[in-house]
Amino acid sequence: MRAGLPILGVALLLAAPALAQTPMTADEFEAYVTGKTMDYFQGGVAFGREVYLPGRKVRWAFTADECRLGHWYGQGDQICFLYDGDPQPKCWWIWPDGAGLSASYMTDTPDIAPSTVRETTEPLACPGPDVGV
């Protein structure tokens, strides 16, 4: 019995970060991101940038892609994004991680590491038809 206690303790320590990943509410997310530009990373590689405008509006671009306008909303414990021209919402679980945010897409499996989301001072480059929007 005594030999099992250290193993149980290690297991609880390893599980602690997962238990601490409480998704942000829509109000918490809004307070955190409004007026900011955020970079999204997967595996340390940037895959997109989003500007968070007042009124829960956004401007998004995958790296070196055209900008897309849209808006976000809370749905249960997820934050969902709906972009112009795309009828399918993109929903995420988003939580603070100390250095910014972490996010898991609604269809991610447990073996997929969360994306990291960090504030940037770099502008959103819009090489498409809505340049300057």
Side-chain angles (χ1 to χ4, degrees), residues 47-99:
F47 67 87
R49 180 170 289 162
E50 191 151 45
V51 176
Y52 290 87
L53 306 166
R56 296 186 175 186
K57 300 213 180 301
V58 293
R59 186 176 303 119
W60 162 263
F62 286 105
T63 304
D65 198 4
E66 293 180 4
C67 290
R68 301 171 65 182
L69 298 175
H71 69 278
W72 68 267
Y73 57 93
Q75 181 173 295
D77 62 354
Q78 295 181 335
I79 303 297
C80 299
F81 297 84
L82 193 57
Y83 299 98
D84 293 350
D86 185 355
Q88 188 66 35
K90 313 298 183 227
C91 298
W92 298 77
W93 288 279
I94 302 174
W95 63 94
D97 71 6

Side-chain angles (χ1 to χ4, degrees), residues 5 11 26 36 38-39 47 66 75 80 95 98 117 123 126 129 133:
L5 289 177
K36 295 179 180 178
M38 307 295 283
D39 282 339
F47 67 87
E66 293 180 4
Q75 181 173 295
C80 299
W95 63 94
V117 185
C126 297
V133 171

